[in-house]
Amino acid sequence: MIRISRAMAVATAAAMALAACSTGGTTTAPTSANTATAQATATGSAAKGDGTLTIGSVLPQTGSLAYLGPPEYAGVDLAIKEINDAGGVLGKPVAKIHTDSGDTTTNIASQSVDKLLAQKADAIIGAASSSVSESIIDKITRAGVVEFSPANTSDKFTTIKDDGLYFRTAPPDKLQGRVLGDLVVSDGNDTVGILAMQDSYGTGLADQVTQTAEAGGAKVVERVDYDPKAPEFSADVAKIKAANPKGIVLIGFDETAKVVAELVKQGLTTDKYKWYMVDGNMSNTNFLKMPRGTLKGVKGTIPGAAAPEAFQKRLLGVNPKLTNYTYAAESYDAANLIALAAEAAKDDAGAAIAAKLVDVSKGGEKCKDFKSCDELLKAGKDIDYDGVSGPVDFNDAGDPSVATIGVYQYGADNKYNAAKALEYRKGDISG
């Protein structure tokens, strides 16, 4: 399914926004973009916002990615504080509504979206989990609301039907998978085993790692796509043990702690095998109860550059308890871009915001924060917002066109240094 063009998509979203009820209920999509355009024309103009930009969030307070919630919420909160300190959007303070996304074992995300639509959110930041976003994207976009994820990396979103209303600051997994596959091969692993959670995130990333590793001369001797809800993983790990790979790639969320315990139990320890992880399980909290040295030497990849120290200090001003900064920058940039797009459109409606998000991300005069960018917009200039997470520069699919992947390594304390990577690798998403 190929993504429809942005111009046609905005017309579609505008028509659906006109038909949406005040409680945020979803509507039936028009049969074609041309039908949508005709409906919008018949009404005289696209639906306008109410003059107050309302940003909602569907981010993990509970569930398998709950450890990512605090930095993501802090990023949104910091951005909205700075936006409002600079005068707000369209002359009014930006309103925010935080809700929980839970994970795919619950219906929390869908209930949260209902709440946000009922409260007339214009844009929703989230979810963190790609599978959760898949479950709610139709409900959000059919209501004419922007969905903007700071952490979705599944390749599916590049071509998913979204009426031009879905964006993300995290890069698709094709880049992270290439970097991880290259890393595994460059570390001398000519045989590889992969344990991946069975969902769009896990299987998509595993596919890319497999492709890259095998193109580099390695052989994936065993791949197990497991049920993340399973009570234990002994049989899954036994398959990897039987294949005896030099390198073991673990792709999952917090259930990885159970997988790690089973690897150790079956003798596949880090002093004998090289382990690799990804952003979904690179946690500084999930493995702390394990014996010291369990994860020593384990390497992993996380999209985006490390949050700069000055930015971390600003984040601590809104949440002094922060210890992890993963996806904080991407969340901060998402809120700023939404606000700047509303300013550029002179309208807070979702379709109007979506129509300007690509424009404010590239091609104009460079600026790095809401205040300076907004001043340029008010002076009638085009802008190019370069954020904390990187240049962003959306392509027509709503993906960042270039991105950075950091490579991190665990120490004997079962933690990795979130502020310092072994290296960073930059890449073009389309390459």
Side-chain angles (χ1 to χ4, degrees):
M1 181 170 1
I2 303 303
R3 175 182 279 241
I4 60 178
S5 73
R6 291 266 153 190
M8 294 173 69
V10 169
T12 305
M16 289 190 292
L18 284 168
C21 66
S22 60
T23 59
T26 57
T27 61
T28 303
T31 56
S32 70
N34 288 336
T35 303
T37 303
Q39 285 182 293
T41 302
T43 64
S45 64
K48 296 282 287 184
D50 61 8
T52 296
L53 175 62
T54 299
I55 297 178
S57 71
V58 180
L59 295 168
Q61 298 171 9
T62 60
S64 57
L65 287 181
Y67 74 96
L68 289 179
E72 290 172 342
Y73 282 114
V76 174
D77 288 343
L78 177 61
I80 292 177
K81 178 184 182 300
E82 293 178 353
I83 291 164
N84 288 341
D85 286 348
V89 172
L90 306 175
K92 295 181 180 180
V94 174
K96 69 178 179 183
I97 309 167
H98 287 325
T99 66
D100 183 18
S101 65
D103 58 26
T104 54
T105 66
T106 69
N107 195 39
I108 291 173
S110 181
Q111 294 170 1
S112 292
V113 169
D114 288 341
K115 174 182 176 182
L116 292 173
L117 295 180
Q119 295 185 61
K120 301 183 179 179
D122 301 299
I124 295 174
I125 295 177
S129 159
S130 292
S131 292
V132 172
S133 281
E134 275 194 81
S135 74
I136 59 177
I137 188 171
D138 284 348
K139 182 177 287 191
I140 295 171
T141 58
R142 286 178 182 173
V145 172
V146 169
E147 180 179 3
F148 198 138
S149 176
N152 287 165
T153 57
S154 169
D155 291 332
K156 284 188 176 183
F157 291 103
T158 299
T159 54
I160 200 166
K161 184 181 182 300
D162 62 3
D163 299 318
L165 291 165
Y166 176 88
F167 296 79
R168 55 180 164 180
T169 36
D173 275 325
K174 64 171 67 176
L175 180 57
Q176 182 178 193
R178 289 201 300 264
V179 170
L180 185 57
D182 284 340
L183 177 64
V184 170
V185 174
S186 66
D187 279 352
N189 300 291
D190 55 6
T191 55
V192 183
I194 299 176
L195 280 158
M197 65 185 295
Q198 193 170 35
D199 76 344
S200 61
Y201 169 78
T203 58
L205 191 45
D207 287 345
Q208 187 63 61
V209 171
T210 300
Q211 179 182 329
T212 303
E214 294 191 336
K219 179 176 177 59
V220 175
V221 293
E222 184 63 72
R223 170 175 163 179
V224 180
D225 291 0
Y226 63 80
D227 178 3
K229 302 172 193 146
E232 53 89 30
F233 301 96
S234 58
D236 301 313
V237 171
K239 292 177 182 177
I240 298 295
K241 182 177 182 179
N244 195 34
K246 291 182 181 178
I248 300 174
V249 178
L250 307 176
I251 303 173
F253 293 157
D254 68 348
E255 83 289 342
T256 301
K258 293 181 180 180
V259 176
V260 164
E262 191 61 40
L263 286 167
V264 172
K265 182 179 179 181
Q266 296 194 29
L268 304 178
T269 50
T270 58
D271 58 339
K272 300 174 184 175
Y273 299 83
K274 294 178 181 177
W275 296 2
Y276 300 86
M277 293 186 179
V278 291
D279 61 308
N281 52 22
M282 285 290 287
S283 169
N284 276 337
T285 57
N286 290 348
F287 311 107
L288 292 182
K289 294 181 179 180
M290 294 183 173
R292 183 177 174 82
T294 299
L295 269 68
K296 183 179 180 180
V298 174
K299 294 180 181 177
T301 50
I302 299 177
E309 186 176 348
F311 179 63
Q312 291 183 29
K313 288 181 179 178
R314 285 155 54 202
L315 289 168
L316 289 170
V318 297
N319 183 355
K321 297 181 179 179
L322 274 186
T323 57
N324 175 22
Y325 300 94
T326 306
Y327 292 121
E330 286 80 2
S331 303
Y332 174 84
D333 288 341
N336 276 327
L337 283 160
I338 290 166
L340 290 169
E343 280 282 357
K346 296 181 172 57
D347 189 356
D348 61 285
I353 292 169
K356 290 293 184 180
L357 273 168
V358 174
D359 291 346
V360 300
S361 76
K362 63 182 181 180
E365 188 170 336
K366 289 189 179 296
C367 50
K368 293 183 178 294
D369 55 57
F370 175 82
K371 183 177 180 181
S372 60
C373 292
D374 190 39
E375 288 171 351
L376 290 172
L377 286 174
K378 286 181 165 61
K381 297 182 179 180
D382 292 332
I383 65 168
D384 178 356
Y385 175 80
D386 279 1
V388 179
S389 66
V392 186
D393 289 0
F394 288 126
N395 59 24
D396 287 341
D399 293 338
S401 57
V402 295
T404 299
I405 306 294
V407 177
Y408 298 82
Q409 186 167 9
Y410 279 88
D413 59 356
N414 297 332
K415 295 170 68 175
Y416 70 95
N417 190 335
K420 186 177 181 181
L422 296 177
E423 61 175 307
Y424 290 106
R425 299 189 186 185
K426 294 184 179 181
D428 185 332
I429 302 302
S430 62

